Structure formats: C-alpha cells, structure tokens
Amino acid sequence: GGQLRMRFLVPAADPDPAVPIPSAAAVATLTTLPPSPSGSSVPDLPSGWRLLSCDDDEVNQEVITGIFKPEGFNLDVAMNGSECLKAIDSKPFDLLLLDSMMPGMS
C-alpha cells in the first residue's frame, strides 16, 4: 500500500477581513509545514472541530475517515453535492474538505 499525506493551512479563528487571502498559486508554492508537536500526520487543530468531507468517491471517504476519526475529529461525510449542501445548511462546520470535481456541481 501507498501512503497519503495531507497538509493544509488553517486560518486563525475570526480572520481579519482587511488581510487578503493568499491566491491558490501562492498556497501551491508551500511545500512543507512545521511538523505537528504531537507527532501526528494531521496538523494540530483544536479538539472538537467539526469537519465535513464532500466527495463522491467511497475510497477517498474511507481514507479521509481513517485519517481524521482516529485523531478525535467530529467528521461528517457527504457523498454528493446535494448531501454536502444539506449538511452545510444543517449545522456549522469548522473545516470543509471538498472534491473539486463533484458530478453535478462542477
């Protein structure tokens, strides 16, 4: 088996609207983040964060679940765009993991 390693930037709570959000090109140039002090492959985030993973690929959802659930995150899964939108309307989430090529939504 292969290994999946995900790294992402998470903005501080209540970002200042006067501070510009970096462009996708600028974010893409980031290659490494400091390692998690806990040694986890998942960046240290506040405990109890609600995550929503929206992806139509069941294998991707299993991988995401396998990464985040053991780390103590509250993870909801949506298998299509309609489910994703309903989940977003039903409760607040701290982080969304979105499939950029979701059928019917792209």
Side-chain angles (χ1 to χ4, degrees), residues 10-22 49 94:
V10 178
D14 298 323
D16 182 348
V19 176
I21 297 172
W49 267 38
D94 299 299

Side-chain angles (χ1 to χ4, degrees), residues 6-28:
M6 297 173 57
R7 294 191 182 264
F8 48 90
L9 297 174
V10 178
D14 298 323
D16 182 348
V19 176
I21 297 172
S23 68
V27 173

Side-chain angles (χ1 to χ4, degrees), residues 4-6 8 36-51 62-75 95 97:
L4 173 68
R5 182 165 285 238
M6 297 173 57
F8 48 90
S36 166
S38 67
S40 167
S41 62
V42 177
D44 287 331
L45 298 173
S47 63
W49 267 38
R50 282 194 110 75
L51 309 182
E62 289 174 10
V63 170
I64 296 288
T65 299
I67 291 171
F68 287 99
K69 279 279 191 178
E71 298 291 333
F73 292 97
N74 298 313
L75 179 68
L95 180 66
L97 305 170

